[in-house]
């Protein structure tokens, strides 16, 4: 086991899975997978007053949705369990007795304090570089409590014990833990253990530079499916928060991230959370999906809006696949293709009315398209050209009123695609409806 990379993610089940925690889990997962090692999930649930089963489930659900499977941990097992801290008290007692035996702890007002070795302690962080804390000044570094007066153990102690017991080789965690590490190194030394390598990754900030908290918009991983994001896109975006591929590329699948990831490429400076960038990354991933996969992903969002996807939904979804950023945008984008009639955009209608020749243009289009035999993108395109010739104008001048008649919108999919998906009857009926409204 000594040569095998072992990383761990150790969340507390006191709330939903935060994007900061998810990013930490991702970096731990990527590092373990890159090096053929193991990724361990450990639940730090000693805070009984704040722990909830719902929060625990949110962690599991979020990890599963992101595709971050664990080799050891809850619901999986492993040789170093239990993987809930609340079930490991006997292990902590045993390690505490080691400190008692070596006179490294003493009782103080009912609690037990760890006796620091009064010397400078230097840590070599894989991201932050060299950090030294001088423990010779006791006023700045008082001996720390490791066991409370109620008999429970503090985070610093159980965290160290679990990392030693589980053979963790690399601790990858947020920079807010950086100053805790020299304390942990002192404990590890006192317990006769071998310290893991540490890598403290930059914190995630809001666009205004403040630390991103659990209350901030975009913080809860569990909200992203409902907002129309797909997991590979969020994983990609989280990887870019603090890590760089050192190339111009920004869009990566999970296996590509695994191949490219390194701690050397993790930035030292804080990462800014950009909701617009996150949506853009999602759009890039949606555009790269197969038509079938995109349609399958979009279908629940369409059905939720009481729209019937119908038998040609793959083709319908494909028509808008490269135009939507989020799956939640699909229902409105395809509504005119699924409903019998479409609602006209007021601004687009006003633009047609302002030109003054909308009714005659639509009449010519209706006449030409009525003569089409086999209804295809090519034959309808030829009919549009014929209508333009009959009016003595360029075909491009017909496109806007035709688009508005068919879709109710000023923009959207290719007109040939729209005509094909709507079919002859619906297309001709919508053209005639708009023509009459202009008279």
């Amino acid at each position: 086991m000594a040569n095998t990379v072992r990383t761990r993610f150790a969340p507390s089940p006191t709330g939903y899975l935060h994007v900061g925690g998810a990013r930490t889990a991702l970096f731990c997962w990527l590092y373990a997978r890159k090096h053929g090692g193991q990724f361990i999930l450990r639940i730090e649930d000693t805070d009984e007053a704040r722990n909830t089963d719902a929060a625990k489930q949110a962690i599991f659900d979020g990890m599963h949705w992101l595709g971050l499977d664990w080799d050891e941990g809850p619901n999986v097992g492993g040789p170093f369990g239990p993987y809930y801290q609340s079930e490991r008290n006997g292990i902590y007692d045993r390690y505490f007795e080691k400190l008692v035996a070596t006179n490294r702890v003493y009782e103080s007002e009912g609690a037990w304090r760890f006796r620091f070795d009064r010397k400078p302690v230097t840590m070599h962080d894989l991201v932050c570089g060299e950090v030294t804390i001088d423990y010779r000044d006791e006023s700045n570094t008082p001996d720390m409590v490791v066991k409370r007066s109620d008999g429970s153990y503090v985070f610093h102690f159980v965290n160290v014990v679990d990392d030693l017991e589980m053979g963790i080789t690399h601790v990858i965690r947020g920079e807010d833990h950086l100053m805790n590490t020299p304390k942990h190194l002192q404990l590890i030394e006192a317990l006769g253990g071998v310290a893991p390598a540490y890598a403290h990754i930059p914190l995630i900030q809001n666009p205004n530079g403040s630390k991103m908290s659990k209350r901030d918009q975009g913080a809860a991983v569990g909200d992203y499916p409902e907002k129309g994001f797909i997991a590979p896109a969020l994983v990609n975006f989280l990887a870019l928060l603090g890590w760089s591929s050192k190339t111009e590329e920004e869009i990566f699948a999970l296996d590509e991230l695994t191949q490219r990831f390194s701690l050397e490429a993790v930035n030292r400076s804080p990462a800014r959370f950009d909701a617009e960038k996150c949506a853009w990354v999602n759009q890039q991933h949606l555009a790269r999906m197969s038509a079938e996969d995109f349609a399958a992903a979009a279908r629940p969002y369409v059905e939720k809006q009481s729209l019937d996807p119908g038998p040609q939904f793959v083709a319908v979804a494909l028509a808008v696949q490269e135009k939507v950023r989020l799956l939640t945008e699909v229902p409105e984008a395809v509504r005119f293709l699924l409903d019998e009639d479409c609602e006209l955009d007021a601004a687009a209608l006003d633009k047609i009315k302002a030109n003054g020749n909308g009714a005659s243009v639509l009449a010519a289009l209706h006449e030409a398209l009525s003569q089409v035999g086999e209804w295809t993108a090519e034959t309808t395109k030829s009919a549009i050209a014929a209508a333009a010739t009959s009016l003595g104008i360029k075909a491009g001048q017909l496109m806007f009123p035709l688009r508005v008649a068919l879709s109710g919108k000023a923009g959207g999919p290719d007109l040939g695609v729209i005509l094909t998906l709507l079919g002859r009857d619906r297309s001709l009926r919508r053209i005639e409806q708009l023509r009459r409204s202009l008279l």
Side-chain angles (χ1 to χ4, degrees):
M1 189 181 75
N3 296 323
T4 302
V5 167
R6 289 173 61 81
T7 66
R8 50 75 168 173
F9 176 50
S12 298
T14 56
Y16 55 75
L17 181 60
H18 184 273
V19 292
R23 198 243 343 226
T24 298
L26 172 62
F27 283 14
C28 292
W29 188 94
L30 289 172
Y31 193 80
R33 294 289 174 263
K34 170 78 174 281
H35 296 280
Q38 280 88 46
F39 171 62
I40 293 92
L41 177 62
R42 186 173 80 215
I43 304 298
E44 299 194 340
D45 61 342
T46 52
D47 189 348
E48 293 182 19
R50 296 176 62 215
N51 294 335
T52 68
D53 288 338
K56 199 181 303 175
Q57 193 58 49
I59 292 169
F60 299 152
D61 292 345
M63 297 277 285
H64 284 308
W65 183 70
L66 291 168
L68 306 181
D69 57 322
W70 51 95
D71 302 297
E72 298 173 24
N75 308 321
V76 173
F80 301 100
Y83 293 92
Y84 292 96
Q85 281 188 341
S86 58
E87 299 173 9
R88 296 174 62 82
N89 220 54
I91 298 170
Y92 305 143
D93 287 342
R94 192 170 76 246
Y95 274 79
F96 179 73
E97 287 306 318
K98 288 185 180 182
L99 297 180
V100 172
T102 54
N103 196 33
R104 291 303 299 272
V105 289
Y106 60 92
E107 197 169 1
S108 172
E109 298 179 1
W112 287 84
R113 290 183 176 271
F114 174 69
R115 202 187 308 275
F116 281 128
D117 198 350
R118 294 300 164 182
K119 63 181 183 180
V121 174
T122 299
M123 61 170 292
H124 303 276
D125 190 86
L126 297 177
V127 174
C128 300
E130 197 170 276
V131 178
T132 299
I133 300 293
D134 192 345
Y135 284 89
R136 288 175 298 189
D137 185 352
E138 196 169 341
S139 65
N140 286 333
T141 56
D143 291 341
M144 71 171 171
V145 172
V146 291
K147 189 176 186 180
R148 302 182 185 92
S149 56
D150 64 2
S152 63
Y153 294 102
V154 302
F155 159 79
H156 300 293
F157 181 70
V158 297
N159 190 271
V160 162
V161 169
D162 287 344
D163 285 345
L164 291 175
E165 274 283 299
M166 295 180 181
I168 303 303
T169 61
H170 294 76
V171 172
I172 303 169
R173 59 189 179 188
E175 194 179 17
D176 49 338
H177 285 292
L178 182 64
M179 290 299 103
N180 291 331
T181 305
K183 300 175 185 177
H184 297 178
L185 290 173
Q186 285 239 29
L187 272 171
I188 291 167
E189 184 180 35
L191 291 167
V194 177
Y198 289 93
H200 289 86
I201 57 181
L203 299 180
I204 299 176
Q205 295 180 342
N206 290 308
N208 65 5
S210 62
K211 181 183 174 182
M212 193 176 193
S213 74
K214 289 194 172 186
R215 293 176 297 278
D216 290 321
Q217 187 176 5
V221 170
D223 290 346
Y224 280 83
E226 189 178 336
K227 292 177 180 177
F229 288 85
I230 58 172
L234 184 58
V235 165
N236 188 164
F237 176 71
L238 291 177
L240 298 176
L241 291 176
W243 170 82
S244 169
S245 67
K246 305 300 182 186
T247 69
E248 295 298 312
E249 296 173 85
E250 292 189 293
I251 305 304
F252 304 102
L254 188 54
D255 59 341
E256 293 175 304
L257 286 173
T258 303
Q259 293 166 16
R260 293 174 181 243
F261 183 79
S262 72
L263 291 172
E264 290 77 16
V266 174
N267 302 321
R268 180 70 178 86
S269 55
R272 293 285 176 99
F273 186 92
D274 183 342
E276 285 299 310
K277 177 70 172 285
C278 189
W280 177 80
V281 171
N282 197 68
Q283 182 178 29
Q284 303 309 304
H285 278 267
L286 292 179
R288 285 163 171 73
M289 296 172 78
S290 70
E292 291 75 16
D293 287 347
F294 176 74
R299 181 180 290 270
Y301 296 85
V302 169
E303 291 174 338
K304 190 176 181 180
Q305 296 298 318
S306 300
L307 290 170
D308 179 8
Q312 57 176 0
F313 185 62
V314 172
V316 168
L318 179 60
V320 302
Q321 183 171 352
E322 294 191 359
K323 299 184 180 296
V324 297
R325 299 191 309 164
L326 307 170
L327 291 172
T328 46
E329 297 171 0
V330 175
E332 206 48 49
V334 301
R335 185 179 297 277
F336 76 96
L337 292 169
L338 300 180
D339 279 350
E340 198 57 33
D341 294 304
C342 65
E343 187 177 331
L344 295 173
D345 176 73
L349 186 57
D350 288 343
K351 188 174 179 181
I352 293 174
K353 288 177 178 177
N355 284 338
N357 66 342
S360 59
V361 165
L362 292 167
L365 283 165
H366 191 280
E367 173 64 24
L369 288 166
S370 297
Q371 306 304 316
V372 171
E374 184 183 359
W375 190 267
T376 67
E378 290 73 24
T379 57
T380 53
K381 185 177 180 181
S382 297
I384 294 168
T389 301
S390 72
L391 292 168
I393 60 176
K394 293 181 179 179
Q397 293 175 259
L398 278 66
M399 297 305 183
F400 185 76
L402 177 58
R403 177 177 294 282
V404 175
L406 297 175
S407 70
K409 302 175 181 181
D414 178 79
L415 271 175
V417 172
I418 293 176
L419 285 161
T420 304
L421 290 172
L422 287 176
R424 179 194 305 273
D425 293 345
R426 272 198 298 175
S427 296
L428 292 174
R429 185 174 71 252
R430 289 184 182 183
I431 293 169
E432 179 62 11
Q433 282 175 342
L434 180 55
R435 186 192 73 81
R436 287 181 178 176
S437 73
L438 295 173
L439 295 175

